[in-house]
Amino acid sequence: MSELIQYRLEDGVAFVGLCRAPVNALSQRLRAAILSACERAAADAEVKAIILHGADGLFCAGADIAEFGTDAAFAEPSLPDTLMRISEIDKPVIAAIGKLALGGGLELALACGYRVGEPGTRVGLPEINLGLLPGAGGTQRLPRLIGAESALNLILSGEQIDAERARLLGILDRLASEAKHLLDEAETYARELIAMSAPALPPEHCPRPAEDLPDGFFASFRERQESLWKNRLAPRLVLAAVEAACLLPLREGLARELSLFKQAEASSQSQALRHVFFAEREAGRIPNIAPDLPLRSIRKVAVIGAGTMGGGIAMNFVNAGIPVMLLEQQGAALDRGLTMIRKNYEISVKRGKLSADQVEARMELLHGTLDYAELADADLVIEAVFEKMEIKQQVFRTLDRVCKPGAILATNTSSLDVDAIAMSVSRPQDVIGLHFFSPANVMRLLEVVRGKATAPDVLATTMAIAKRIGKLAVVSGVCFGFIGNRMLEPYSREAQRLLLEGATPAQVDKVLTELGLNMGIFSMQDLAGVDVLYLIRQANQAATAHDESYCRIGDELTVLKRHGQKSGRGFYRYEGRERQEDPEVVALAERLSQELNISRRAVCDEEIHDRCLFMLINEGIQLLDEGIALRASDIDLVWINGYGFPAHLGGPMHYAEQLGLERVLASIQRYRSELGAYGEMWFQPAPLLKRLVAAGKTRIERF
Ligand code: 3H9
């Protein structure tokens, strides 16, 4: 028997325990081990029922994602074949689902005749998040169990549902009273089934899964969702597979599902999303910091500044059950901040996401103060005051006086020099940047900015606490704008310059949204505030090079008080939330072009794409070369989670690899020669890009 399986027989019941840490991912070896254990139990006349379970409790997180795109993914025994064989065993097979059954893990459970969960069990088919569809029966067996519409919703959302909901839907037959009794109660169930000579597979709950659906359900569903799905492939394949479940007998449906799955697996979108999956896990690993480095304990947090940002930051911690002291200078500002937080929670209550009791419990963890002395026992202090160096340094000097030794002192600056802030205190090793994105209680990304002096345990503790509050933390070194905003700078500069050369904001934005970005650059700037971006440019003039045309249109719009969405005008004109092209902006661009002697012409979409995105990518490669980003995949995560870059393109670095580094370099060089002095100045290929291409490398890595 393989070391991947624990097998025992107890009075007619065979226990097959999966033991491939950490999550029982169904690699070829584990599949083979499960199959052989099940065959052994099937062939043993003493065995009357079989219980499949996770040897360490956790049942199974699905197929081994690392195998996709390699021959191992379908190496024999393939998952679909393994599950088909399990479903054919003529003895009851019970899945005892500890902790979770996801993707292929749930499909394994669905191939069993019976399923028992524990109170904390979560189940789901999250394949869609990997650009896949369930490929081992999920799209065929689930509709036959819970009906086509419920199955479709579960698969399309990728949602992980809790045990009670799974039981109500009919995915779980029973729930154990407590996790520790799961196996015992699964055994009781097995013995009941044996006693009643229950069939190996109970009759299907929904043999005709589409029975209750109106005519034309699939066509109209597709039509309704088309615009939301944009250019994503996987949802369309899911729909086709579930439709097949409604039209075809099981075996034919399974064959159809498999061919759709292989189409998804081979797609560049799935490749990109799998890259993102592993990138997220990799981001937490920091070279030269041992995973077992002792961490500082964080039991109490303080946030300075009760504005939108400070309030949002505070919410993250109380949501995770960590008490927060919120400090403001004036009582009125503090009250406003606390009221805003309560209002935010009340919106969640209205949406049914929180109960009134939960809100009270969270508000109880939140304390307001006007007195720095009250921060004396905080383990982590996060400053979220006005973005000005002198003010931040003043706050840090005060913190240096009042905070206990060993407290982590964090700044939420988005563009200031963390090292300069650290220099204002006597303990720079305790200072770190925590760049939350707005709204801070919603956005998942957190740039963790490691200063020159930041102590390893401060960095490691911060990464751990970020995980605890549900953030995706990415480490950045200190430079203007860190990873995200530094890359935003050339991207937005190029977009603004294109307006002077003849493009319109809507044309530029359309190229970007058609690629899959959540928002075009001009809509984004209107949302962020044209004036806010102007002030950031002013404050950081020294950090960025300039030419006469540099962000001129943004500067002029600020002078004209066209501050963006909030003032009803910016790069666009707004009627409520409705965005419209504004001829005045085009006229302004024409005037500036004339003034700056820039000849206007029709700019094609490809040029917009290449100039905006390749400047963004080039900067990312430069950041990697400088060591600001630890790895290319970290840059991808920043742009996907902070700036709406489509995950199905894998982030800007992965996208560049897909397009080919040679093409990126050639295009940058082309504009360098075509755009005259402007091209000479800005289109400078990152040295690392040149080195990678010269060496024939296809992946972006430090080299
Ligand atoms: C599928 O099933 C397709 C089938 O329908 C059809 C096939 C034909 N594979 O996230 P964590 C690793 S598609 C390989 O840090 P957590 C992960 O990389 C699959 N590895 O922990 C990490 O490794 P490392 C559908 C996996 O507690 C370690 O486990 N299933 C897999 O925060 C710990 O992971 C999914 O999409 C896997 N399937 O979260 C579920 N899962 O330590 C994907 C995990 O070396 N997984 N690893 O970095 C998850 O959602 C989360 O990992 C999970 C645990 C909730 C399980």
Side-chain angles (χ1 to χ4, degrees):
M1 186 64 47
S2 155
E3 80 282 3
L4 296 178
I5 289 290
Q6 283 176 8
Y7 186 93
R8 71 189 157 94
L9 177 60
E10 244 170 66
D11 199 15
V13 177
F15 290 81
V16 176
L18 282 52
C19 37
R20 182 173 180 239
V23 295
N24 289 328
L26 295 159
S27 63
Q28 184 278 335
R29 287 187 58 233
L30 181 57
R31 299 192 300 263
I34 295 173
L35 187 59
S36 116
C38 287
E39 292 292 15
R40 173 176 165 185
D44 185 343
E46 270 185 43
V47 173
K48 304 288 181 243
I50 303 166
I51 294 178
L52 280 181
H53 65 102
D56 285 327
L58 184 146
F59 186 67
C60 176
D64 188 336
I65 300 168
E67 285 187 347
F68 292 134
T70 74
D71 292 342
F74 285 94
E76 284 184 10
S78 73
L79 191 58
D81 289 350
T82 306
L83 302 195
M84 177 54 85
R85 174 64 194 120
I86 290 174
S87 73
E88 286 168 347
I89 294 175
D90 59 358
K91 304 172 182 182
V93 184
I94 299 120
I97 306 175
K99 295 199 175 79
L100 48 83
L102 299 178
L106 179 55
E107 291 174 302
L108 171 61
L110 291 172
C112 302
Y114 305 89
R115 285 159 298 279
V116 189
E118 61 189 30
T121 294
R122 286 181 291 141
V123 304
L125 292 168
E127 284 88 342
I128 193 122
N129 301 327
L130 298 166
L132 298 169
L133 60 149
T139 67
Q140 306 302 303
R141 293 193 177 98
L142 191 62
R144 287 173 164 82
L145 189 65
I146 65 171
E149 194 169 7
S150 300
L152 187 60
N153 289 335
L154 196 66
I155 300 171
L156 281 176
S157 68
E159 193 190 353
Q160 297 176 20
I161 59 172
D162 63 29
E164 186 53 25
R165 200 161 143 222
R167 194 185 63 79
L168 290 173
L169 275 171
I171 297 175
L172 295 178
D173 304 310
R174 287 190 183 184
L175 277 187
S177 51
E178 282 181 68
K180 62 179 181 205
H181 299 314
L182 174 67
L183 269 195
D184 291 345
E185 292 180 31
E187 185 179 347
T188 309
Y189 191 20
R191 299 205 182 283
E192 285 172 27
L193 293 168
I194 296 169
M196 66 173 78
S197 306
L201 284 183
E204 286 172 346
H205 286 223
C206 304
R208 283 183 298 281
E211 203 168 37
D212 298 332
L213 298 181
D215 288 347
F217 170 83
F218 287 97
S220 67
F221 192 94
R222 188 173 290 119
E223 206 175 299
R224 278 201 312 278
Q225 300 295 319
E226 275 292 324
S227 63
L228 284 177
W229 289 343
K230 294 190 187 154
N231 36 18
R232 287 167 61 215
L233 174 68
R236 294 173 169 87
L237 300 182
V238 166
L239 194 67
V242 175
E243 194 171 6
C246 299
L247 299 171
L248 302 174
L250 181 63
R251 272 185 185 273
E252 285 172 41
L254 288 170
R256 173 93 178 113
E257 176 195 70
L258 188 56
S259 94
L260 293 167
F261 179 89
K262 288 190 172 170
Q263 191 186 334
E265 185 201 0
S267 71
S268 60
Q269 294 188 1
S270 175
Q271 220 181 319
L273 288 160
R274 280 157 16 216
H275 156 76
V276 174
F277 176 83
F278 288 114
E280 288 191 3
R281 270 95 203 144
E282 193 63 21
R285 283 191 259 270
I286 307 162
N288 303 324
I289 294 196
D292 56 355
L293 180 73
L295 303 183
R296 300 190 187 185
S297 111
I298 306 288
R299 278 186 296 250
K300 195 166 173 189
V301 171
V303 177
I304 304 179
T308 315
M309 197 38 124
I313 294 173
M315 287 173 76
N316 285 302
F317 290 94
V318 294
N319 292 349
I322 303 169
V324 175
M325 184 67 77
L326 189 61
L327 182 137
E328 253 300 343
Q329 276 181 314
Q330 308 286 339
L334 182 60
D335 289 346
R336 264 198 310 278
L338 290 169
T339 310
M340 189 180 68
I341 293 175
R342 181 174 278 283
K343 263 197 192 139
N344 281 342
Y345 280 136
E346 276 160 7
I347 295 174
S348 302
V349 174
K350 277 201 192 108
R351 292 191 181 144
K353 291 190 172 153
L354 277 185
S355 70
D357 287 350
Q358 281 171 314
V359 173
E360 291 318 314
R362 287 179 195 196
M363 290 306 291
E364 264 172 37
L365 288 174
L366 192 63
H367 301 278
T369 182
L370 302 175
D371 184 0
Y372 269 95
E374 289 211 51
L375 309 191
D377 63 344
D379 303 299
L380 164 66
V381 184
I382 304 169
E383 151 297 295
V385 302
F386 193 71
E387 189 76 357
K388 213 165 173 115
M389 182 57 88
E390 300 81 76
I391 301 180
K392 302 235 183 219
Q393 285 181 329
Q394 179 59 46
V395 167
F396 270 76
R397 276 192 289 270
T398 313
L399 292 178
D400 201 12
R401 272 203 318 276
V402 301
C403 291
K404 67 180 181 187
I408 297 178
L409 309 180
T411 168
N412 175 51
T413 181
S414 58
S415 57
L416 299 177
D417 182 345
V418 174
D419 288 330
I421 296 175
M423 264 158 38
S424 61
V425 296
S426 63
R427 33 174 146 172
Q429 73 280 2
D430 294 339
V431 175
I432 196 159
L434 285 184
H435 180 209
F436 286 84
F437 285 67
S438 186
N441 52 320
V442 176
M443 295 284 283
R444 196 168 158 238
L445 179 65
L446 180 64
E447 273 182 322
V448 173
V449 186
R450 172 191 209 167
K452 272 207 245 357
T454 306
D457 67 335
V458 168
L459 181 60
T461 303
T462 310
M463 296 300 281
I465 194 85
K467 191 164 185 194
R468 202 167 139 203
I469 63 171
K471 296 290 176 200
L472 175 62
V474 175
V475 176
S476 169
V478 175
C479 69
F480 162 72
F482 315 131
I483 295 174
N485 283 341
R486 176 152 151 202
M487 288 168 73
L488 181 65
E489 200 264 334
Y491 170 64
S492 108
R493 176 201 73 222
E494 215 38 48
Q496 292 206 23
R497 168 76 188 199
L498 283 161
L499 299 189
L500 302 184
E501 293 182 27
T504 65
Q507 187 194 359
V508 173
D509 279 0
K510 186 161 163 279
V511 170
L512 300 170
T513 51
E514 278 181 354
L515 188 67
L517 275 108
N518 282 354
M519 254 191 210
I521 177 73
F522 294 115
S523 309
M524 191 209 259
Q525 299 203 8
D526 273 356
L527 191 66
V530 177
D531 55 329
V532 174
L533 299 170
Y534 170 81
L535 288 178
I536 294 177
R537 279 198 299 279
Q538 292 294 307
N540 295 288
Q541 260 174 342
T544 53
H546 287 89
D547 74 315
E548 270 190 323
S549 72
Y550 179 78
C551 294
R552 262 302 285 284
I553 192 154
D555 295 352
E556 295 286 330
L557 290 174
T558 310
V559 173
L560 293 169
K561 298 215 176 326
R562 298 185 61 121
H563 292 167
Q565 242 189 60
K566 61 188 170 191
S567 67
R569 282 151 180 253
F571 285 97
Y572 293 95
R573 179 200 297 263
Y574 296 86
E575 305 280 342
R577 287 184 138 198
E578 193 77 17
R579 192 177 56 228
Q580 286 167 1
E581 275 262 55
D582 191 344
E584 275 179 31
V585 175
V586 177
L588 173 65
E590 282 167 357
R591 176 170 71 69
L592 290 173
S593 312
Q594 210 174 19
E595 206 177 284
L596 297 164
N597 227 353
I598 297 169
S599 49
R600 292 178 67 81
R601 61 199 161 81
V603 179
C604 72
D605 289 356
E606 187 187 342
E607 181 171 351
I608 293 172
H609 170 277
D610 286 11
R611 286 177 58 179
C612 292
L613 287 159
F614 293 174
M615 281 294 94
L616 171 90
I617 288 164
N618 195 52
E619 196 70 28
I621 295 175
Q622 181 61 24
L623 280 171
L624 185 66
D625 205 15
E626 288 172 19
I628 299 291
L630 290 175
R631 45 185 89 84
S633 59
D634 282 2
I635 298 175
D636 287 334
L637 295 180
V638 167
W639 267 74
I640 291 170
N641 295 283
Y643 300 83
F645 200 94
H648 67 256
L649 294 182
M653 299 291 106
H654 181 84
Y655 182 53
E657 291 170 351
Q658 295 296 303
L659 290 175
L661 300 184
E662 247 172 77
R663 153 138 160 62
V664 175
L665 177 62
S667 180
I668 293 174
Q669 280 167 334
R670 173 184 154 200
Y671 289 112
R672 183 172 173 79
S673 62
E674 276 181 13
L675 295 173
Y678 178 85
E680 282 278 312
M681 174 159 190
W682 295 111
F683 282 76
Q684 300 184 16
L688 174 59
L689 174 61
K690 290 206 277 194
R691 294 201 299 276
L692 289 168
V693 172
K697 300 255 184 197
T698 52
R699 304 220 31 209
I700 299 174
E701 58 196 356
R702 217 171 278 141
F703 169 67

